Amino acid sequence: MAHSEDAPLGSPECPTREPEPFVLLALFDGIRGCSVALQSLGLLPHADYSSEVDSNCQRLIAQRFPQCVQLGDIRKIDAVVLERLVDEHGTAKPWLVVGGSPCQDLSKRKRRTGRSILIIEVENCSRSRTCQDAAGR
């Protein structure tokens, strides 16, 4: 039977398959909204890393996602850390990098704190030599 674009997922016309293992790097992880969504879809990372500085969020992550390795402040995730992660997991598995940087200080109602500038750290991370080399492998 031919594949149908409108076939329900899991039907004989659109069979399901095992999800490919992946490495998750969640920046500005907060309460792990992305991880909860991935879990609800049955997608569990092969390796799981979080960058979060809020202590309440860190406790929640440790309780609900004990397999997650917490890396702490994104400003401390440098080329050495990234190189170690790539060496440990390689590039054969896809990497899913997600994040939502702080934006509270962009609101007109909030006091400006400069926290939203942290989005630049995501760009710095992705432009690092390690990430560029991993993408080319």
Side-chain angles (χ1 to χ4, degrees), residues 3 6 11 23 28 42 45 47:
H3 170 73
D6 297 323
S11 70
V23 177
F28 310 105

Side-chain angles (χ1 to χ4, degrees), residues 1-15:
M1 189 174 275
H3 170 73
S4 169
E5 294 294 323
D6 297 323
L9 187 62
S11 70
E13 298 85 22
C14 184

Side-chain angles (χ1 to χ4, degrees), residues 7-77:
L9 187 62
S11 70
E13 298 85 22
C14 184
T16 59
R17 63 180 183 168
E18 280 297 310
E20 188 174 346
F22 64 97
V23 177
L24 176 63
L25 175 57
L27 307 172
F28 310 105
D29 204 13
I31 59 170
R32 299 221 89 193
C34 182
S35 295
V36 171
L38 290 169
Q39 245 182 5
S40 73
L41 294 170
L43 300 172
L44 302 176
H46 166 75
D48 191 359
Y49 296 95
S50 170
S51 171
E52 178 55 57
V53 296
D54 183 277
S55 60
N56 292 322
C57 292
Q58 288 174 339
R59 277 194 300 281
L60 180 123
I61 292 167
Q63 289 173 341
R64 296 198 177 153
F65 298 89
Q67 76 289 357
C68 179
V69 176
Q70 296 190 39
L71 301 175
D73 192 331
I74 189 172
R75 293 171 291 190
K76 294 183 178 161
I77 302 175

Side-chain angles (χ1 to χ4, degrees), residues 102-117:
C103 60
Q104 296 92 336
D105 59 329
L106 296 177
S107 167
K108 291 180 181 179
R109 303 182 87 198
K110 300 285 182 172
R111 182 174 48 109
R112 302 225 181 251
T113 62
R115 289 177 43 191
S116 61
I117 196 72

Side-chain angles (χ1 to χ4, degrees), residues 73-93:
D73 192 331
I74 189 172
R75 293 171 291 190
K76 294 183 178 161
I77 302 175
D78 59 10
V80 174
V81 172
L82 292 171
E83 190 171 311
R84 179 180 55 83
L85 296 178
V86 170
D87 285 346
E88 187 173 334
H89 299 290
T91 57
K93 295 174 190 71

